[in-house]
Amino acid sequence: MLSGRRLDLAHPSPMDIEIEDIAHGLARMARWNGQTRGEHAFSVAEHSVLVERIVRKLEPGLGPQEWLTALLHDSPEYVIGDMISPFKAILGESYKGVEARLQEAVHVRFGLKAITPASLKKTIKRADNICAWFEAVQLAGFSVEESNGFFGKPPEGIKLKLAPLPPTEAQEMFLNRFMDIQAALARQEEAR
């Protein structure tokens, strides 16, 4: 990693994970394998910030721990890339195992539950699909009908206007949201 950390993919240690490495990698990782409109690829970092925002809108009662879990939902991709779902399915359990170990290490590193609780995972997946719907229609050339079929129609009241950012801006946006959530976590701890 650019931080100088070395990460063992078979046995990732939380101590070898830095948020700056995650932000850097996700900001340079293209959603849709880069097959999108615009001067810049739509990055996993930008997608992650939007998914976290949608999670907050879907479940306003959630707190900073859940927000951070949502922001980091695709964090393993900073190391293993953002593979399209059909390819992940072909790779099967070996891919899922590597992804799960990385996700657990990231969660432990940042004080989250190693395994995302099922109800939160469901909400994050719903937000992920909502974001993917807008990405598909606005950036990847899908029709509304195609997107409805793949991702489900987004709920009324959630609108996104996507503008793919240069990697440095996506990285900064991701880090800023991470820092905002860290500040909210600190305030929560002080209030206890």
Side-chain angles (χ1 to χ4, degrees), residues 1-6 20-21 24-25 28 171:
M1 303 296 125
L2 283 177
S3 66
R5 299 281 189 186
R6 299 293 179 251
E20 293 80 5
D21 291 333
H24 183 86
R28 284 151 182 80
Q171 181 174 344

Side-chain angles (χ1 to χ4, degrees), residues 4-47:
R5 299 281 189 186
R6 299 293 179 251
L7 191 62
D8 178 351
L9 287 178
H11 307 285
S13 168
M15 299 309 297
D16 291 329
I17 294 171
E18 298 294 340
I19 194 62
E20 293 80 5
D21 291 333
I22 294 172
H24 183 86
L26 296 183
R28 284 151 182 80
M29 186 62 49
R31 295 269 298 160
W32 305 89
N33 283 338
Q35 298 297 311
T36 54
R37 298 181 183 107
E39 184 178 343
H40 304 284
F42 189 72
S43 73
V44 176
E46 194 171 355
H47 165 83

Side-chain angles (χ1 to χ4, degrees), residues 108-126:
V108 170
R109 169 67 174 89
F110 298 110
L112 301 171
K113 293 177 182 172
I115 308 279
T116 303
S119 61
L120 179 57
K121 192 171 193 164
K122 184 177 177 182
T123 300
I124 292 169
K125 185 61 179 171
R126 184 171 178 224

